[in-house]
Amino acid sequence: MPDEIEIQAVQGPVHGEIRPPGSKSITNRALICAALANGHTELMGALDSEDTRVMIDGLRELGIAVDVSAGGRTIEVRGCKGNIPAGQADIFVGNSGTTIRFLTAAVTLGSGEYRLDGIERMRERPIGDLASALNQLGANVQCEGNDNCPPVKVIADGLKGGVATVGGNISSQFLSGLLMAAPCAEQDVVLHVEGNLVSVPYVAMTLRVMESFGVLAKPSENFSVIHIPTTASYKACRYSIEPDASAASYFWAVAAVTGGKVTVRGLNYESLQGDVAFVDCLRNMGCQIHTEDDAITVQGGPLHGIDVDMNAISDTVQTLAVVALFAKGTTRISNVSHIRHKETDRIAALATELRKLGAEVKESEDGLEITPGKLSPAAIDTYNDHRMAMSFAIAGLNSPGIVICNPGCTSKTYPDYFSDLARLTTTR
Ligand SMILES: O=C(O)C1=C[C@@H](OP(=O)(O)O)[C@@H](O)[C@H](O)C1
Ligand SMILES: C=C(OP(=O)(O)O)C(=O)O
């Protein structure tokens, strides 16, 4: 991958179809449930990217056999029935939040000493709320970094279980990690969530993936209390993974900003992924949405700004912010302070880069107000954040001279993004 890519502006509306690669979030959940299950699981339609590779490598470090075939889309896992084979492991997680949060919880089921660490940015992404909840359940988890951040050291001798309170306002991944480890604890687990739970659809996704592997948890209506009995255990199975809905947001945005019509195959409103609701934002901005059993199509129209709370679908904030550049009036995105803890501080990064493209941007603690101006050519810094690269590329389709720096950072979740985008925008 070159150091930078100049996006070729398209001459008219883009029409086309695409099936994005498998969901990162579902792949990494299914890998954990399969690893803790009682036999041989086959995952189909999996994502092959940095975030899933660090998860697979981590599981292998823990002594779990994982075989990958079909260009990374099929993964076979020999489950350990909740008994982690390795008594020691040093696990490198890159910058994958799901991997460090889910594996930190999983290794407390083992017996021995485990250490988890990632790249520099990972050492700035908090994990203290998860460590504290696991410690309430009888684990010994220490954050060795500054301010409750990784590296993480776990001295494990099985997870006792019981009652714990977990913070919900920084990341939902803490709760998801606890939920997936909980059925393998010695006693039932009852989790209470403290503070406003962010990214709620990901918790629903966790429970649905667990259910597919035979474990039924009992959540209260708003997930403020969840009871996980130890009577159920994970069963190996054949499991199909949906295309990634956050990745789909870029292709739906192509239709929105070029006034074209783009169909994403493999997703519908019944999806496990909350991010399909991104199309509702586009509808509110003036697009038309068509749904089929196995596809969602966005047809672009004249766009206008909207006010939107994106707490539940925050991986699509950057996509929406870029679409806002082509809308009439101001777009206000609110209730997303948690995106300051992701691959970069996404609110700050967006404010800086949108201004380079001529927008007037007001940054607040929990969001952004974007009023587009006259678009000008610019080199976009991506802060090693795949979603900065993928979303700002869409602006380049409708405005010449937009250069994306460090495009290789898309490998975190979508190594073939630029070739898939080029295929969609040039075959008309
Ligand atoms: O559980 C998951 O798979 C994810 C949850 C979200 O994180 P937060 O809960 O930290 O918002 C999301 O941003 C991330 O890409 C994936
Ligand atoms: C925030 C993200 O990932 P993670 O938290 O899993 O690193 C993302 O994919 O946008």
Side-chain angles (χ1 to χ4, degrees), residues 132-275:
S132 150
L134 288 165
N135 291 340
Q136 293 165 52
L137 299 175
N140 178 352
V141 180
Q142 294 153 36
C143 304
E144 295 185 328
N146 296 328
D147 300 327
N148 285 317
C149 290
V152 176
K153 189 166 97 179
V154 180
I155 300 170
D157 188 18
L159 187 64
K160 211 153 132 236
V163 181
T165 298
V166 59
N169 66 336
I170 289 180
S171 172
S172 67
Q173 295 173 5
F174 307 147
L175 178 57
S176 287
L178 289 159
L179 285 168
M180 285 186 281
C184 305
E186 288 153 28
Q187 302 162 19
D188 285 10
V189 172
V190 180
L191 299 169
H192 292 260
V193 179
E194 198 173 45
N196 286 334
L197 179 61
V198 298
S199 298
V200 168
Y202 286 98
V203 176
M205 176 195 286
T206 305
L207 295 175
R208 285 177 71 182
V209 175
M210 288 169 64
E211 204 174 322
S212 294
F213 283 81
V215 172
L216 206 57
K218 296 177 202 145
S220 65
E221 207 177 308
N222 54 2
F223 299 136
S224 58
V225 186
I226 308 183
H227 178 184
I228 308 97
T230 44
T231 42
S233 53
Y234 292 117
K235 315 252 175 329
C237 61
R238 295 190 81 222
Y239 186 80
S240 257
I241 293 165
E242 303 171 354
D244 193 289
S246 325
S249 75
Y250 309 111
F251 303 116
W252 286 320
V254 170
V257 308
T258 69
K261 191 171 172 183
V262 174
T263 298
V264 174
R265 294 254 160 236
L267 290 171
N268 59 30
Y269 272 107
E270 304 305 310
S271 166
L272 266 59
Q273 300 168 80
D275 278 6

Side-chain angles (χ1 to χ4, degrees), residues 24 95 97-98 125 173 342-343 346 386-387 412:
K24 167 199 84 172
N95 195 9
T98 54
R125 300 185 66 186
Q173 295 173 5
K342 306 228 180 217
E343 284 75 340
R346 286 180 172 165
H386 54 143
R387 301 203 189 282
K412 184 172 191 285

Side-chain angles (χ1 to χ4, degrees), residues 18-21 251 414 416-425:
I18 185 155
R19 186 183 175 95
F251 303 116
Y414 200 159
D416 294 332
Y417 175 71
F418 284 100
S419 50
D420 283 1
L421 183 64
R423 198 154 356 113
L424 179 71
T425 54

Side-chain angles (χ1 to χ4, degrees), residues 9-77:
V10 294
Q11 299 308 322
V14 172
H15 302 301
E17 278 201 14
I18 185 155
R19 186 183 175 95
S23 156
K24 167 199 84 172
S25 293
I26 301 177
T27 301
N28 276 358
R29 282 169 173 72
L31 280 165
I32 292 282
C33 295
L36 298 177
N38 66 342
H40 181 183
T41 287
E42 186 178 13
L43 307 178
M44 292 155 295
L47 174 66
D48 179 19
S49 76
E50 274 170 19
D51 276 17
T52 55
R53 286 183 179 205
V54 288
M55 175 63 91
I56 291 170
D57 289 347
L59 293 173
R60 287 178 176 150
E61 289 287 332
L62 294 173
I64 290 153
V66 183
D67 289 318
V68 179
S69 57
R73 289 188 308 281
T74 301
I75 308 178
E76 290 172 62
V77 183

Side-chain angles (χ1 to χ4, degrees), residues 6 123 132 167 175 195 211 224 268 275 303 309 322 356 406:
E6 178 165 349
R123 292 182 169 196
S132 150
L175 178 57
E211 204 174 322
S224 58
N268 59 30
D275 278 6
L303 300 171
D309 175 335
V322 165
K356 281 188 191 166
N406 185 21

